[in-house]
Amino acid sequence: MAERHRVQGEEDAEGEEEVYEVVDLTEYARNHQWWTRVFGSNSGPIAEKHSVATQIMMGGVTGWCAGYLFQRVGKIAATAVGGGFLLLQIANHTGYVQVDWKKVEKDVNKAKRHLKKKANTAAPEINSFIEEATEFVKRNVVLSSGFVGGFLLGLAS
């Protein structure tokens, strides 16, 4: 892991060459993971590679981050859509804008039909994704439960 190198041409006050220790950080990080020291390592199948505490912690942290981001982005999106609709209503009421609501309804219905048609053709891909996600959750119950708990905490914070 550590190597000693002599640097050519550099000498200290006593006339000896300085010695530096070179550390390979990638190898050090691979061998000294902090969660292994804290929670211990567990050998076994790939789904049980880390201890229960590690799986809950990692699931909880990632869930909290996802929940927090989901909450923030959701609030921003709701504010933007609601504010835009409110401004459109005010502009329509005061006479600045004339909205043809029959045309809007016709276009929305047309878009709905188009989306339904696309959804029916994409159903096999969506079903396979759902099956894979369900299988992952079944194999990693501890990690998934930590994620769900963290996600709910992230939404609440």
Side-chain angles (χ1 to χ4, degrees):
M1 176 173 73
E3 303 173 27
R4 298 211 180 268
H5 292 282
R6 293 207 179 270
V7 178
Q8 297 293 330
E10 293 185 22
E11 296 182 2
D12 61 6
E14 298 164 357
E16 296 179 7
E17 291 184 5
E18 290 186 31
V19 177
Y20 294 97
E21 183 176 354
V22 177
V23 178
D24 183 7
L25 291 179
T26 57
E27 187 67 30
Y28 181 82
R30 197 174 295 126
N31 293 331
H32 297 88
Q33 296 171 343
W34 64 270
W35 59 82
T36 304
R37 288 193 308 269
V38 174
F39 298 108
S41 62
N42 187 6
S43 61
I46 193 76
E48 299 173 0
K49 191 169 188 174
H50 298 289
S51 68
V52 172
T54 302
Q55 291 180 41
I56 289 175
M57 181 191 69
M58 296 306 286
V61 168
T62 56
W64 183 86
C65 291
Y68 186 78
L69 288 174
F70 187 79
Q71 174 205 29
R72 295 293 177 198
V73 170
K75 281 183 180 179
I76 291 169
T79 302
V81 170
F85 187 71
L86 180 67
L87 289 175
L88 181 64
Q89 287 294 343
I90 291 171
N92 184 30
H93 183 70
T94 56
Y96 287 109
V97 176
Q98 290 292 343
V99 178
D100 186 3
W101 289 109
K102 297 280 186 195
K103 184 167 174 39
V104 170
E105 184 180 358
K106 184 177 126 185
D107 289 345
V108 166
N109 287 334
K110 183 179 174 183
K112 256 194 328 192
R113 284 191 305 273
H114 181 72
L115 283 174
K116 267 188 179 178
K117 197 182 299 183
K118 288 288 186 183
N120 289 337
T121 60
E125 296 157 359
I126 293 172
N127 287 338
S128 67
F129 175 75
I130 290 172
E131 288 172 7
E132 288 176 17
T134 304
E135 188 64 30
F136 176 81
V137 169
K138 284 180 183 176
R139 279 183 282 138
N140 300 297
V141 173
V142 176
L143 181 72
S144 301
S145 61
F147 181 85
V148 169
F151 185 81
L152 293 176
L153 285 174
L155 283 177
S157 59

